[in-house]
Each structure stands twice: as structure tokens, then as C-alpha cells.
Amino acid sequence: MRVNSPLEPIPAELTPLPMRKQNPALEFIAMFAKYYRAERKLPFYAHGEDWRHAKFLMLAYGEDRELLEEMVRCFFRMGMFSSRGVSGSVLRAFWTYRNELEFNAREALREAAEREAMSAREKQQYREELRSARVRASKPPLRVDQLRIENK
């Protein structure tokens, strides 16, 4: 199978590890394809420009693989691939919003580190605060006819 063919799925589990180490773009596309398959239940097809974007992403973020993987998780968690209206490939959408994704990923990693450093009691308080915030957010806003207007 040709690796860079635009219409062949990337079999991440079949790609030998030494080959991934030689080609960092393949390593990124294999990681991206894993999350894509989990989200969409479809194989990921890498096109020509996807390889170029993957190469530049690995040059920019390759040293911090944890950050890059968190960026991919944020990308799919936020639904950016379908709601942003970027034409072309899914990886182009990732490339387009990489700065926003990097910020969100760094925040998520920082919050995860802070939660790890919390004591058991602090973690329980944090969970209760999250639950109460979700309940407040799930309440519907007041309708106009429910508002009282006072004239002074």
C-alpha cells in the first residue's frame, strides 16, 4: 500500500514504529486518525495538503507530544471540524485553528495538573462546584413576560 496516496486510509496499527519515527508527519496523522475514527466512526483519509500540514505541526509542536495530543482532543471535543465552516479537509480546519487549540490545550493541561495537586477534600469541593455550575447553566433563562419591571 502506498503511504501517501490521497484516498487510502492510514492503518495506524499496521504502521511499523520505526517508520513512524522516520516520518513525523505519519506519526501525527496516525494519532489524528485514531481520534477521528473514535469521533466519526469512519476511516481518516489523508490528502496531499494534510501531509504538509502534519509536517509543519510536528515541526512546531513535535517536542511537546502531550500538548499536541491534547490539541487534537480539544479539536474533536469542541466540534471544530464540523461547525467552523472551513472548506477542505478536516486537518486543514485543525491547521486553521491551531493557535486557539494550543491555548485551550495549555489551559486543559494546566487545570489537569492543578487537579492532580489538590487534596481529596479540595477535589470533592471542586466537583460540587462543577455540579452546581452545570445546574445553573442548564436552567432556562427568564422569558420577557416573567420579568418584573419597576418604575421609580
Side-chain angles (χ1 to χ4, degrees), residues 43-97:
F44 177 74
Y45 295 98
H47 301 279
E49 70 177 16
D50 293 341
W51 292 96
R52 187 187 62 194
H53 293 319
K55 176 184 169 187
F56 290 134
L57 285 164
M58 288 302 286
L59 287 174
Y61 303 106
E63 296 296 318
D64 194 356
R65 301 294 164 97
E66 185 181 9
L67 174 66
L68 192 57
E69 190 161 354
E70 185 61 33
M71 286 171 66
V72 173
R73 280 194 294 263
C74 285
F75 179 72
F76 287 107
R77 187 171 47 238
M78 296 169 71
M80 297 177 106
F81 59 90
S82 60
S83 64
R84 295 298 180 115
V86 175
S87 62
S89 71
V90 177
L91 204 53
R92 181 190 294 174
F94 184 89
W95 174 258
T96 303
Y97 296 103

Side-chain angles (χ1 to χ4, degrees), residues 20-145:
R20 290 187 201 175
K21 295 297 180 192
Q22 292 171 0
N23 188 352
L26 179 62
E27 185 179 350
F28 174 77
I29 287 181
M31 176 186 56
F32 191 85
K34 178 180 73 171
Y35 287 101
Y36 184 89
R37 279 192 299 268
E39 179 70 29
R40 291 256 179 117
K41 311 289 190 274
L42 295 170
F44 177 74
Y45 295 98
H47 301 279
E49 70 177 16
D50 293 341
W51 292 96
R52 187 187 62 194
H53 293 319
K55 176 184 169 187
F56 290 134
L57 285 164
M58 288 302 286
L59 287 174
Y61 303 106
E63 296 296 318
D64 194 356
R65 301 294 164 97
E66 185 181 9
L67 174 66
L68 192 57
E69 190 161 354
E70 185 61 33
M71 286 171 66
V72 173
R73 280 194 294 263
C74 285
F75 179 72
F76 287 107
R77 187 171 47 238
M78 296 169 71
M80 297 177 106
F81 59 90
S82 60
S83 64
R84 295 298 180 115
V86 175
S87 62
S89 71
V90 177
L91 204 53
R92 181 190 294 174
F94 184 89
W95 174 258
T96 303
Y97 296 103
R98 68 190 178 281
N99 293 331
E100 184 178 342
L101 290 167
E102 180 184 4
F103 176 78
N104 292 335
R106 287 191 190 280
E107 284 293 309
L109 291 173
R110 183 186 56 77
E111 289 172 2
E114 287 176 359
R115 282 193 305 274
E116 286 296 317
M118 288 181 183
S119 66
R121 182 180 175 154
E122 290 172 331
K123 285 182 183 180
Q124 183 62 29
Q125 288 175 341
Y126 176 77
R127 284 189 213 109
E128 290 172 3
E129 288 173 6
L130 275 180
R131 259 188 238 115
S132 65
R134 286 184 188 135
V135 167
R136 283 194 305 269
S138 67
K139 290 182 181 177
L142 293 174
R143 294 189 320 255
V144 175
D145 59 341

